[in-house]
Every structure is written in C-alpha cells, then in structure tokens.
Amino acid sequence: MQATATRTAQRKQGEQARARAIVRFNGLLFHSLAAASFLETAVPLNVNRLNPVFAAHADVVLWLEQVWWPQRAEHGRRLRNYLEATWPEFGWNAAYQEFYESYRPRSGLEGRGAGTALEALGLCVTAAQTAVFYRALANCADEPALRALARQATRDHGRCFDYFSAVFERCKRDERVGLVTSWRTVRAACRSARELDASAAFEPLGRHWGGAPTVPALGYGEFRARMVALIQRHAALGSIERLLFRPWLESERRVPAPQLPDKRPERRLLLVPQPVAA
C-alpha cells in the first residue's frame, strides 16, 4: 500500500510539474497574472483616496480598512508568489515599482468628486469585472494551484461587489442619482479599468527580465483582444455582467483615413471630409 501511495504521489507531482511548465510558456497568463498582481498590491492607493469620500459612513471606512484592504493585499501576495515561482527570471519588484510610480498620480481620476453613491457604483463595476476575470481564469486553468487561487479571488471579489452594491443602494436615494447618471458612471468606470488601470499595469511587463523572457512579447491591444476572447469562452457571462463588461467586449472603433481623390491638373475639387463610419 505504501508503494502504491508513493507512486500516486509521484504521478501527481509529475502532472503538476507538467501543468506548471505549460503555464510558464503561456504569454497571456503571464501578462494577465502580473497585471492583476500589481493592481491588487496597489490597493492602499485606493483606500487612502476612498476614506475621505466615505467619511460620513464610518461602517464603510471600517470595512475598507479591515476587510477590503487586507483581502486584496493577500491576493496580491499570492499572485506575486505564484509569479516568482513560475517566472523567476521576471523582476517583480522593479516592474511593480515602475508601475506604482506611473499609476500613483492617476489612480481613481475617473471617480473623483462623484459623490458616495457614484463612487460605490464605480467600485461595483470594478469588483464585477475583476470577478469575471478570475472566474474565466479558474475555468480555463489546468494547474490546480492556479485554479484554486483564481476561485478564491472570484468568491472574494463577488462578495465585494455585493457590499458595494448595498452601499450604492443606500446612498443613491439621498443623492438622487438617476438612471442616466448611473449608466454614465458605469461606462466611465469600464473605460478607466481598460484604458488606465489595466494599461498601466501592463506597461512595464516587457521589461525587467533577467535574461531572455520565457513568454512571447505582447502589445496591449493584442493582450486585450486575447483576454476578451478568453473571458467570452470561459467566464459564462450573465446578462448583468455582459452589461458591466460591454466596453471590454466592444472592439475599438477605428476611424478610417480619408481617401483623397487623385490630383488632376485640369480639374479643381473641393476636398470635403469623408463621413465617419458608425
């Protein structure tokens, strides 16, 4: 029986080693996990900004400091540990410092001055999008350690969504927040997550390698497109999540360059701008 148990343990270790090796050469997983680790670790920036916003709600401030902050910091620590074990050539400290210095002056710009209700709504959007990301990761991950890490993060961010949603419902009546204003806030929070938060976390990832990177280089546009495809395939989005995640799922609208007519000496044409495609 002992020999059988030993063989089973060795086989399991071998399977885990093969799964980790597959992850090690997956560029999409590296970039998404590293970006997530930066944003989770940088949560003190958000707490310091949010405390004055919710100063009139002592219970919210207490929850931010005693639940939200430690929970997200723990996810950042776990992600960092996983990254350093899987990609030891990547200099996490140096990359995070570069991200932090560029992100610190810009974090939370979309929500400043919005009021407590709209601030809570923006945090709902962030929590929902983050939970969707981790759920997709948990559903597609082959390695048990990564799957367990992502599942725990999914549950925690889902609970954060529930809490911020309750805060929004409590505050919106006093502040008389309407549907149009709410929708604009949702869109702004989505744009901020896509164009500021994730972009800033992605920026330093191609640098700070001790030697040749083990993953292929990705541009941010390609990364976002592949991440969206992964989420569509594995996250099993519900109707509300599709609404909250729509800006990520939409393709960027590219304005075509105007086609100028050939210049002919015998004719003079007034150049009228071409209509922009919808």
Side-chain angles (χ1 to χ4, degrees), residues 89-130:
E89 307 89 345
F90 178 66
W92 190 94
N93 278 325
Y96 176 75
Q97 189 62 35
E98 181 183 337
F99 154 75
Y100 184 84
E101 292 301 324
S102 66
Y103 183 66
R104 180 175 56 182
R106 299 184 290 164
S107 63
L109 286 178
E110 288 285 348
R112 287 179 179 167
T116 55
L118 294 182
E119 190 72 64
L121 180 59
L123 291 166
C124 284
V125 174
T126 301
Q129 290 183 126
T130 308

Coordinates of all heavy atoms in Angstrom, one line a residue, residues 89-130:
E89 N 12.7 34.5 -13.6 CA 13.6 35.5 -14.3 C 12.9 36.9 -14.3 O 13.6 37.8 -14.7 CB 13.7 35.0 -15.8 CG 14.3 33.6 -15.9 CD 13.1 32.6 -16.0 OE1 12.0 32.9 -15.6 OE2 13.4 31.4 -16.4
F90 N 11.7 37.0 -14.0 CA 11.0 38.3 -14.1 C 11.2 39.0 -12.8 O 11.0 38.5 -11.7 CB 9.5 38.0 -14.3 CG 8.7 39.3 -14.3 CD1 8.9 40.2 -15.3 CD2 7.7 39.6 -13.3 CE1 8.1 41.4 -15.3 CE2 7.0 40.7 -13.3 CZ 7.2 41.7 -14.3
G91 N 11.7 40.2 -12.9 CA 12.0 41.1 -11.7 C 10.7 41.8 -11.2 O 10.4 42.9 -11.6
W92 N 9.9 41.1 -10.4 CA 8.6 41.6 -10.0 C 8.8 43.0 -9.3 O 8.0 43.9 -9.5 CB 7.9 40.6 -9.1 CG 6.5 41.0 -8.8 CD1 5.4 40.5 -9.5 CD2 6.0 41.8 -7.8 NE1 4.2 41.1 -9.0 CE2 4.6 41.9 -7.9 CE3 6.6 42.6 -6.8 CZ2 3.7 42.6 -7.1 CZ3 5.8 43.3 -5.9 CH2 4.4 43.3 -6.1
N93 N 9.7 43.0 -8.3 CA 9.9 44.3 -7.6 C 10.1 45.5 -8.4 O 9.5 46.5 -8.3 CB 11.1 44.1 -6.6 CG 10.6 43.4 -5.3 OD1 9.5 43.5 -4.8 ND2 11.5 42.6 -4.8
A94 N 11.1 45.4 -9.4 CA 11.4 46.5 -10.2 C 10.2 46.9 -11.1 O 9.9 48.1 -11.4 CB 12.7 46.2 -11.1
A95 N 9.5 45.9 -11.7 CA 8.4 46.1 -12.5 C 7.3 46.8 -11.8 O 6.6 47.7 -12.2 CB 7.9 44.8 -13.2
Y96 N 7.0 46.3 -10.5 CA 6.0 46.9 -9.7 C 6.3 48.3 -9.4 O 5.4 49.2 -9.4 CB 5.7 46.1 -8.5 CG 4.7 46.7 -7.6 CD1 3.3 46.7 -7.9 CD2 5.1 47.4 -6.4 CE1 2.4 47.3 -7.1 CE2 4.1 48.1 -5.6 CZ 2.8 48.0 -5.9 OH 1.8 48.6 -5.2
Q97 N 7.5 48.6 -9.1 CA 7.9 50.0 -8.7 C 7.7 50.9 -9.9 O 7.2 52.0 -9.7 CB 9.4 50.0 -8.3 CG 9.9 51.3 -7.7 CD 9.1 51.7 -6.4 OE1 8.8 50.8 -5.6 NE2 8.8 53.0 -6.3
E98 N 8.0 50.5 -11.1 CA 7.8 51.3 -12.3 C 6.3 51.5 -12.5 O 5.8 52.7 -12.7 CB 8.3 50.6 -13.5 CG 8.1 51.4 -14.8 CD 8.6 50.8 -16.1 OE1 9.5 49.9 -16.0 OE2 8.1 51.1 -17.2
F99 N 5.5 50.5 -12.3 CA 4.0 50.6 -12.4 C 3.5 51.6 -11.3 O 2.7 52.5 -11.6 CB 3.4 49.3 -12.2 CG 2.0 49.3 -11.7 CD1 0.9 49.7 -12.5 CD2 1.7 49.0 -10.4 CE1 -0.4 49.8 -12.0 CE2 0.4 49.1 -9.9 CZ -0.6 49.5 -10.7
Y100 N 4.0 51.4 -10.1 CA 3.5 52.2 -9.0 C 3.7 53.7 -9.2 O 2.9 54.6 -9.0 CB 4.1 51.7 -7.7 CG 3.6 52.4 -6.5 CD1 2.4 52.0 -5.8 CD2 4.3 53.5 -5.9 CE1 1.9 52.6 -4.7 CE2 3.8 54.1 -4.8 CZ 2.6 53.7 -4.2 OH 2.1 54.3 -3.0
E101 N 4.9 54.0 -9.7 CA 5.3 55.4 -9.9 C 4.5 56.1 -11.0 O 4.1 57.3 -10.9 CB 6.8 55.6 -10.2 CG 7.7 55.2 -9.0 CD 7.5 56.0 -7.8 OE1 7.2 57.2 -8.0 OE2 7.6 55.5 -6.7
S102 N 4.1 55.3 -12.0 CA 3.3 55.9 -13.0 C 1.8 55.9 -12.7 O 1.0 56.8 -13.2 CB 3.5 55.2 -14.3 OG 3.0 53.8 -14.3
Y103 N 1.4 54.9 -11.9 CA 0.0 54.8 -11.6 C -0.5 55.6 -10.4 O -1.7 56.1 -10.4 CB -0.3 53.3 -11.3 CG -1.7 52.9 -11.0 CD1 -2.7 53.0 -12.0 CD2 -2.1 52.5 -9.8 CE1 -4.0 52.6 -11.8 CE2 -3.5 52.1 -9.5 CZ -4.4 52.2 -10.5 OH -5.7 51.8 -10.3
R104 N 0.4 55.9 -9.5 CA 0.0 56.6 -8.3 C -0.6 58.0 -8.6 O -1.7 58.3 -8.0 CB 1.2 56.8 -7.4 CG 0.9 57.6 -6.1 CD 2.1 57.6 -5.2 NE 3.3 58.2 -5.9 CZ 4.5 58.3 -5.4 NH1 4.7 57.9 -4.1 NH2 5.5 58.8 -6.0
P105 N -0.1 58.8 -9.5 CA -0.8 60.1 -9.7 C -2.1 60.0 -10.4 O -2.9 60.9 -10.4 CB 0.3 60.9 -10.6 CG 1.5 60.1 -10.5 CD 1.1 58.7 -10.3
R106 N -2.4 58.9 -11.1 CA -3.5 58.8 -11.9 C -4.7 57.9 -11.4 O -5.8 58.0 -11.9 CB -3.1 58.2 -13.3 CG -2.1 59.0 -14.1 CD -1.9 58.3 -15.4 NE -1.1 57.1 -15.3 CZ -1.1 56.2 -16.3 NH1 -1.7 56.4 -17.4 NH2 -0.4 55.1 -16.1
S107 N -4.4 57.1 -10.3 CA -5.4 56.2 -9.9 C -6.6 56.9 -9.3 O -6.5 57.9 -8.6 CB -4.8 55.3 -8.7 OG -4.4 56.1 -7.6
G108 N -7.8 56.4 -9.7 CA -9.0 57.0 -9.3 C -9.4 58.3 -9.9 O -10.4 58.9 -9.4
L109 N -8.8 58.7 -11.0 CA -9.2 60.0 -11.5 C -10.6 60.0 -12.0 O -11.3 61.1 -12.0 CB -8.2 60.3 -12.7 CG -6.8 60.7 -12.3 CD1 -6.0 61.0 -13.6 CD2 -6.8 62.0 -11.5
E110 N -11.1 58.9 -12.5 CA -12.5 58.9 -13.1 C -13.5 59.2 -12.0 O -14.6 59.7 -12.3 CB -12.8 57.5 -13.7 CG -12.0 57.3 -15.0 CD -12.6 58.1 -16.2 OE1 -13.7 58.6 -16.0 OE2 -12.0 58.2 -17.2
G111 N -13.3 58.8 -10.8 CA -14.3 58.9 -9.8 C -14.2 60.1 -8.8 O -15.1 60.2 -8.0
R112 N -13.2 60.9 -9.0 CA -13.0 62.0 -8.0 C -14.1 63.0 -8.1 O -14.5 63.4 -9.2 CB -11.7 62.6 -8.2 CG -10.5 61.7 -7.7 CD -9.2 62.3 -7.9 NE -8.1 61.4 -7.4 CZ -6.8 61.6 -7.7 NH1 -6.4 62.5 -8.4 NH2 -6.0 60.7 -7.1
G113 N -14.7 63.4 -7.0 CA -15.8 64.4 -7.0 C -17.1 63.8 -7.4 O -18.1 64.6 -7.6
A114 N -17.3 62.5 -7.5 CA -18.5 61.9 -8.0 C -19.6 61.8 -6.9 O -20.7 61.6 -7.2 CB -18.2 60.5 -8.6
G115 N -19.2 61.8 -5.6 CA -20.1 61.5 -4.5 C -20.1 60.1 -4.1 O -19.6 59.2 -4.8
T116 N -20.6 59.8 -3.0 CA -20.5 58.5 -2.4 C -21.3 57.4 -3.2 O -20.8 56.3 -3.4 CB -21.0 58.5 -0.9 OG1 -22.3 59.0 -0.9 CG2 -20.1 59.3 -0.1
A117 N -22.5 57.7 -3.7 CA -23.3 56.8 -4.4 C -22.6 56.4 -5.7 O -22.4 55.2 -6.0 CB -24.6 57.3 -4.7
L118 N -22.1 57.3 -6.5 CA -21.5 57.0 -7.8 C -20.1 56.4 -7.5 O -19.7 55.6 -8.4 CB -21.4 58.3 -8.6 CG -22.7 58.9 -9.1 CD1 -22.5 60.1 -9.9 CD2 -23.6 57.8 -9.8
E119 N -19.4 56.8 -6.5 CA -18.2 56.1 -6.2 C -18.4 54.7 -5.9 O -17.7 53.8 -6.3 CB -17.5 56.8 -5.0 CG -16.1 56.4 -4.7 CD -15.1 56.9 -5.7 OE1 -14.9 58.1 -5.8 OE2 -14.5 56.1 -6.4
A120 N -19.4 54.4 -5.1 CA -19.8 53.0 -4.8 C -20.1 52.2 -6.0 O -19.8 51.0 -6.2 CB -20.9 52.9 -3.7
L121 N -20.9 52.9 -6.9 CA -21.2 52.2 -8.2 C -20.0 51.9 -9.0 O -19.9 50.8 -9.6 CB -22.2 53.1 -9.0 CG -22.7 52.6 -10.3 CD1 -23.4 51.3 -10.1 CD2 -23.6 53.6 -11.0
G122 N -19.1 52.8 -9.1 CA -17.8 52.6 -9.8 C -17.1 51.4 -9.2 O -16.5 50.6 -9.9
L123 N -17.1 51.3 -7.9 CA -16.4 50.1 -7.2 C -17.2 48.8 -7.5 O -16.5 47.8 -7.6 CB -16.3 50.4 -5.7 CG -15.4 51.5 -5.3 CD1 -15.6 51.9 -3.9 CD2 -13.9 51.1 -5.5
C124 N -18.5 48.9 -7.7 CA -19.3 47.7 -8.1 C -18.8 47.2 -9.4 O -18.6 46.0 -9.6 CB -20.7 48.1 -8.2 SG -21.6 48.2 -6.7
V125 N -18.6 48.2 -10.3 CA -18.1 47.8 -11.7 C -16.8 47.1 -11.6 O -16.5 46.1 -12.3 CB -18.1 49.0 -12.6 CG1 -17.5 48.7 -14.0 CG2 -19.5 49.6 -12.8
T126 N -15.9 47.7 -10.9 CA -14.5 47.2 -10.8 C -14.5 45.8 -10.2 O -13.9 44.9 -10.7 CB -13.6 48.1 -9.9 OG1 -13.6 49.4 -10.5 CG2 -12.2 47.5 -9.8
A127 N -15.3 45.6 -9.1 CA -15.4 44.3 -8.5 C -16.0 43.2 -9.4 O -15.5 42.1 -9.5 CB -16.2 44.4 -7.2
A128 N -17.0 43.6 -10.2 CA -17.7 42.7 -11.1 C -16.7 42.3 -12.2 O -16.6 41.1 -12.5 CB -18.9 43.3 -11.7
Q129 N -16.0 43.3 -12.8 CA -15.1 42.9 -13.8 C -13.9 42.1 -13.3 O -13.5 41.1 -14.0 CB -14.5 44.2 -14.4 CG -15.5 45.0 -15.2 CD -15.0 46.3 -15.8 OE1 -15.1 46.5 -17.0 NE2 -14.3 47.1 -15.1
T130 N -13.5 42.3 -12.1 CA -12.4 41.6 -11.6 C -12.8 40.1 -11.3 O -12.1 39.2 -11.6 CB -11.8 42.2 -10.3 OG1 -11.5 43.6 -10.6 CG2 -10.6 41.5 -9.8

